[in-house]
């Protein structure tokens, strides 16, 4: 055992000496490993940063909020079928569903158009018709002014709660509360400005106008109220799945759907969106990481080729060392450690280079989220390069250890 440890120590010492003596060749040997690891780390860092950024933004929307919306399968859409949720469906659910903290309905004022005007300035915006409960369900709060009240909806007031992006787009005053904007020919008074939320998936979350549901319905026509979304938050301790099942049963009975008829609606939550997105990003990361990992294998083959050439070049040297008493284990360990150190060195440099490239891409593209390198990616990179050093360094090391010292000394 002591002899083996001594051989390992001396072999490792000789390996480091050889690497220093052939610095340029060692650097070129690790080049393939560096490029491969850098490519893998860059892809993983960008995808993980994107995933973390979007997951955080979805969490900000509220993971406990659930949206009920109409759903039409693609094959039915191609036949001209379009399922819808009506305002009557919302009223029915609001009176019969239990264990709900709050519930609201919203509609998009497509029939009114989406052009907003202030003075000579115009902008395109999303116009939402809803009620005062929308604030509690969606968690949208005013930065200035107030949100909609129950009386606004009861009296069909032409008031608007706007997103902060419209202040710049329409060149409104810093505090636009009390100003009037024109929505497709109708004047609305601004009563509040929402807190800034930023962008999500490249979509501006602050470019919208919220007005009373009754007002938007009267201006858009009754037909527009037949295409709504219902949003709700389960009460504390309530089971969201049980609430969804209760709502499903109520709607199916209300619309007299047969048992084999699929639901013409669906439930969407932040948790579901996060799970779907994480599945997609994991798949993309694995596929992209697998493709660029091929360069790691190429780098490993390069290490083996250089080490085999090194064995050939150093045949006489190996013969002299063996003639002086070096054991096969000493030679095996020397060449194996040399390959391992080169691979690890390449892995560490590649790791740093990949992190730098990912950060540089983030700086050059402000829309990109900050790169994030998870611990598992670091461990995987180091572990994989270690494996490459052992696997691809084993054949040259075995070849060197088996050289006959007499034949090696005669080698020209």
């Amino acid at each position: 055992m002591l002899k083996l440890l001594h051989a390992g120590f001396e072999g490792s010492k000789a390996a480091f000496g050889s690497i220093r003596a052939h610095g340029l060749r060692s650097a070129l040997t690790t080049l393939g490993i560096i490029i491969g690891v850098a490519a893998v780390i860059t892809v993983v860092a960008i995808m993980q940063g994107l995933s973390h950024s979007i997951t955080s933004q979805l969490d900000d929307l509220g993971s406990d909020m659930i949206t009920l919306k109409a759903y039409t399968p693609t094959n039915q859409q191609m036949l001209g079928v379009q399922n819808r949720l009506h305002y009557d469906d919302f009223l029915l659910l609001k009176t019969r569903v239990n264990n709900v903290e709050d519930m609201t309905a919203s509609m998009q004022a497509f029939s009114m158009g989406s052009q907003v005007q202030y003075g000579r300035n115009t902008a395109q915006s999303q116009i939402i018709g809803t009620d005062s409960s929308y604030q509690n369900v969606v968690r949208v709060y005013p930065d200035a002014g107030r949100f909609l009240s129950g009386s606004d909806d009861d009296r069909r007031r032409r008031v608007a709660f706007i997103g902060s992006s419209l202040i710049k787009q329409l060149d409104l005053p810093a505090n636009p509360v009390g100003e009037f904007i024109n929505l497709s020919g109708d004047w609305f008074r601004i009563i509040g400005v929402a807190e800034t939320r930023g962008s999500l998936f490249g979509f501006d979350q602050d470019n919208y106008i919220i007005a009373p549901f009754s007002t938007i319905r009267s201006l858009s026509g009754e037909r527009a109220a037949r295409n709504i979304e219902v949003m709700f938050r389960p009460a504390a301790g309530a089971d969201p799945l049980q609430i969804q099942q209760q709502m499903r049963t109520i709607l199916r009975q209300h619309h007299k759907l047969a048992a084999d008829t699929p639901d013409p609606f669906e439930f969407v939550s932040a948790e579901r969106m996060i799970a779907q997105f994480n599945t997609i990003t994991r798949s993309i990361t694995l596929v992209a990481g697998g493709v660029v990992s091929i360069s790691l294998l190429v780098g490993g083959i390069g290490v083996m080729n250089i080490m085999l050439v090194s064995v050939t070049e150093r045949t006489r040297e190996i013969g002299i060392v063996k003639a002086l008493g070096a054991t096969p284990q000493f030679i095996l360990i020397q060449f194996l450690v040399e390959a391992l150190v080169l691979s690890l060195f390449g892995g560490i440099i590649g790791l740093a280079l990949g992190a730098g490239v990912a950060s540089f891409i983030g700086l050059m593209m402000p829309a990109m989220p900050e790169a994030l390198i998870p611990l598992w990616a670091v461990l995987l990179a180091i572990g994989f390069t270690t494996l490459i050093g052992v696997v691809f360094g084993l054949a040259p090391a075995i070849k060197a250890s088996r050289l006959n010292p007499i034949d090696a000394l005669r080698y020209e």
Side-chain angles (χ1 to χ4, degrees):
M1 184 66 181
L2 291 176
K3 288 184 178 180
L4 184 60
L5 290 174
H6 179 72
F9 175 76
E10 293 297 330
S12 300
K13 186 177 178 181
F16 281 102
S18 177
I19 291 173
R20 286 195 300 269
H22 304 87
L24 180 60
R25 185 179 66 185
S26 300
L28 293 175
T29 303
T30 62
L31 189 59
I33 302 293
I34 292 173
I35 294 174
V37 172
V40 172
I41 293 299
T42 300
V43 170
V44 171
I46 291 175
M47 293 304 301
Q48 289 296 310
L50 179 64
S51 177
H52 181 266
S53 174
I54 293 178
T55 300
S56 299
Q57 292 182 67
L58 289 174
D59 282 336
D60 290 341
L61 294 178
S63 59
D64 54 343
M65 186 187 79
I66 302 174
T67 301
L68 169 65
K69 58 173 64 177
Y71 170 73
T72 307
T74 305
N75 58 342
Q76 292 188 21
Q77 292 183 28
M78 295 178 66
L79 297 175
V81 178
Q82 187 66 44
N83 295 324
R84 299 179 184 276
L85 280 177
H86 299 180
Y87 188 67
D88 291 341
D89 295 324
F90 163 69
L91 295 177
L92 180 65
L93 293 172
K94 192 169 184 178
T95 56
R96 295 182 57 183
V97 175
N98 303 319
N99 297 321
V100 172
E101 177 185 315
D102 213 338
M103 184 182 299
T104 186
S106 68
M107 59 178 288
Q108 303 290 331
F110 292 121
S111 59
M112 289 182 61
S114 57
Q115 189 175 74
V116 188
Q117 183 178 358
Y118 176 75
R120 296 182 179 181
N121 302 311
T122 60
Q124 297 294 317
S125 183
Q126 179 187 21
I127 303 174
I128 303 170
T130 187
D131 56 26
S132 58
S133 297
Y134 187 90
Q135 181 179 28
N136 298 327
V137 176
V138 183
R139 302 287 197 258
V140 54
Y141 301 107
D143 186 50
R146 66 174 180 86
F147 193 73
L148 303 180
S149 65
S151 61
D152 292 331
D153 197 47
D154 294 338
R155 300 182 182 183
R156 297 184 182 179
R157 289 176 179 154
R158 298 192 180 187
V159 293
F161 182 82
I162 68 172
S164 58
S165 291
L166 286 172
I167 294 178
K168 182 177 181 180
Q169 293 182 32
L170 295 174
D171 196 21
L172 287 162
N175 185 355
V177 175
E179 299 290 331
F180 285 84
I181 55 176
N182 189 293
L183 306 182
S184 299
D186 292 286
W187 291 98
F188 283 69
R189 182 170 61 88
I190 299 174
I191 59 172
V193 180
E195 294 177 340
T196 301
R197 286 191 169 185
S199 61
L200 177 65
F201 297 110
F203 173 75
D204 185 0
Q205 296 186 91
D206 302 307
N207 184 17
Y208 62 85
I209 297 173
I210 297 176
F213 190 95
S214 59
T215 305
I216 297 298
R217 181 170 60 177
S218 64
L219 295 175
S220 302
E222 191 62 32
R223 185 177 180 182
R226 299 175 185 172
N227 188 22
I228 68 166
E229 293 183 356
V230 178
M231 291 161 283
F232 65 94
R233 286 183 182 273
D239 184 357
L241 294 179
Q242 290 184 356
I243 297 175
Q244 292 177 35
Q245 184 58 45
Q246 184 184 9
M247 297 176 74
R248 182 179 288 109
T249 302
I250 293 172
L251 288 177
R252 291 186 65 87
Q253 290 176 351
H254 178 64
H255 290 279
K256 299 178 181 179
L257 299 176
D260 58 346
T261 302
D263 293 335
F265 49 82
E266 64 177 347
F267 295 92
V268 180
S269 65
E271 289 182 349
R272 177 182 169 186
M273 294 174 65
I274 290 172
Q276 291 176 340
F277 181 78
N278 285 339
T279 300
I280 294 172
T281 53
R282 276 196 299 267
S283 300
I284 296 175
T285 302
L286 288 174
V287 172
V291 171
V292 297
S293 291
I294 295 175
S295 59
L296 274 176
L297 295 178
V298 174
I301 294 172
V303 170
M304 183 174 65
N305 287 338
I306 295 297
M307 293 303 297
L308 286 172
V309 171
S310 178
V311 171
T312 303
E313 290 179 347
R314 294 156 62 185
T315 299
R316 288 181 60 83
E317 175 189 330
I318 295 170
I320 294 172
V321 172
K322 278 196 167 187
L324 293 174
T327 63
Q329 290 86 355
F330 175 89
I331 302 298
L332 176 69
I333 292 173
Q334 177 184 346
F335 278 85
L336 190 59
V337 168
E338 193 171 329
L340 182 60
V341 169
L342 289 174
S343 297
L344 276 175
F345 180 76
I348 294 171
I349 297 298
L351 186 62
L353 180 62
V357 171
S359 299
F360 179 75
I361 292 175
L363 290 175
M364 296 300 294
M365 302 175 65
M368 288 289 294
E370 183 181 357
L372 178 65
I373 303 177
L375 179 61
W376 63 262
V378 176
L379 297 177
L380 183 63
I382 299 301
F384 196 60
T385 51
T386 302
L387 182 64
I388 286 177
V390 173
V391 172
F392 290 97
L394 196 58
I398 292 175
K399 179 182 178 181
S401 66
R402 290 179 176 177
L403 284 176
N404 187 295
I406 303 300
D407 295 335
L409 289 170
R410 292 176 177 173
Y411 183 81
E412 294 293 340

